[in-house]
Amino acid sequence: MKSYEVNFDGLVGPTHNYGGLSYGNVASQSNSQQSSNPKEAALQGLAKMKALMEMGFQQGVLAPQERPDVAALRRLGFSGTDAQVIERAAKEAMPLLVASCSASSMWVANAATVSPSADTADGRVHFTAANLNCKYHRSIEHPTTSRVLGAMFANQQHFAHHAALPAVAQFGDEGAANHTRFCREYGEAGVEFFVFGRSAFDNRFPAPQKYPARQTLEASQAVVRLHGLREEGVVYAQQNPNVIDQGVFHNDVIAVGNGEVLFYHEDAFLETDQMLAELQSKLAKVGGNFQSVCVPRSAVTVDDAVRSYLFNSQLLSRPDGSMLLIVPQECQANERVWAYLQSLTSSGGLIREVKVFDLKQSMQNGGGPACLRLRVALNETELAAVNPGVIMTPPLYGSLTAWVEKHYRDRLSETDLADPQLLLECRTALDELTQILKLGAVYPFQIN
Ligand code: SUG
């Protein structure tokens, strides 16, 4: 049976703004308070989806969330009508209003961890929504994420959904941003690679000194148990704490994998040789030939990687077995990174082509091409069981761009977040979106 890697991209929500909310994420901190352009952000994301669809890749779309999250503000003690809740939060606790307005759900690599059916004990595709416990503005995403994923992958014969892990730092889980799967074919058993930043209960693992390590070993282990993965099909590795302290807040900022290939920076991991050997031997047991491409620090520094987002690229398989890298235009702007990419694609290796995309609006908050997509490996039967409303087609692209043009603002600054009209605009837009994507009622304003 045929199998595919389907990329579900997060549609940027109408409140996209620069709140400076993510300590440890250099772009988020340095662009704090700048005014944003939500319309441009959404159109940039849609252009990437369209381009991948036109290149022949399976492409889907994941809906944004209701923001401002008035229910979250109510839980923090703000009361009255919805407009009063927003007004009071703006007056008394602006940082809480900003957090409740974040469009951060666009970075759907953090929405969930997904294990394909070929790897799981019950032969279903398993999803665990990420608790995103490290940042308040992201910790409020998972209930709606679970509803949206449930509406996209509703068929219980093929899809199993797990609620987010307990909402405490010990189980900090950032979803697929720290998870990579290696395999020969997407439909065959593979090796799932879990990268953690620290251990909550075992102090033998070093932790970063400056910035938080968001993913814990214990969270990854819980996901492995929930998904029913075989020990032989799992490899754990620790992210180098020094790179976390340089702004590598997720593994997908310093490494990306696809098929049998891991593309990574020399400084990405601890115990790299042992980790590579384990990946090699476990993939060999399922018939695969593991290959790694290490980018030396002499060619690209960690700082270059953080600024250009070289590794936050999408590594995609082409029909002839070679690979294509989708990178943000910041890679082209960095001389060393661009020179490295030229030499990589002309070296006769597996990665033969680089395509550049303008994702500046998302990049300024630390979200590159890979952050914007959630990969779901599906066989033909499973793909047919996905809600067809969320699969990208030329007509859907047309409807979504028209929808963005109609509802989105082209400028948003902090003071605009206090405008109660913004909430109404968002709800009107999202209500229409659930009809376009045939999701049913998934938002708090639709179900309460
Ligand atoms: O969690 N930025 C996101 C970026 C997530 C990128 N995802 C992956 N690497 N997979 C984060 O730090 C910034 C929001 C703001 O500051 O307004 C933010 O949430």
Side-chain angles (χ1 to χ4, degrees), residues 17-23 25 27-29 32 98 102-104 107-110 132 135 137-138 141 174 176-177 214 249-250 252-253 309 312 362 364-368 370-372:
N17 73 96
Y18 300 116
L21 300 170
S22 281
Y23 179 66
N25 167 342
S28 155
Q29 287 181 267
S32 175
V98 175
S102 178
S104 54
W107 300 297
V108 294
N110 305 117
L132 298 173
K135 307 282 174 217
H137 71 288
R138 303 222 59 183
E141 290 174 27
E174 300 277 318
R214 299 195 197 185
F249 57 98
H250 287 137
D252 69 6
V253 177
Y309 261 38
N312 199 259
S362 166
Q364 292 188 146
N365 253 339
C371 302
L372 286 162

Side-chain angles (χ1 to χ4, degrees), residues 120-140:
T120 63
D122 68 0
R124 293 190 292 169
V125 182
H126 282 245
F127 300 80
T128 296
N131 61 22
L132 298 173
N133 200 62
C134 184
K135 307 282 174 217
Y136 170 68
H137 71 288
R138 303 222 59 183
S139 71
I140 57 179

Side-chain angles (χ1 to χ4, degrees), residues 186-250:
Y186 294 118
E188 292 177 4
V191 175
E192 299 201 19
F193 179 47
F194 289 83
V195 180
F196 59 94
R198 69 187 168 96
S199 165
F201 299 108
D202 187 340
N203 56 20
R204 282 173 304 174
F205 295 97
Q209 303 294 305
K210 185 176 172 199
Y211 291 143
R214 299 195 197 185
Q215 180 83 32
T216 67
L217 168 63
E218 291 76 7
S220 301
Q221 289 168 329
V223 171
V224 168
R225 281 189 293 272
L226 287 165
H227 292 195
L229 303 181
R230 299 165 304 120
E231 208 189 305
E232 276 307 288
V234 172
V235 173
Y236 296 100
Q238 183 169 8
Q239 208 181 345
N240 178 352
N242 293 335
V243 300
I244 298 180
D245 281 339
Q246 290 174 73
V248 180
F249 57 98
H250 287 137

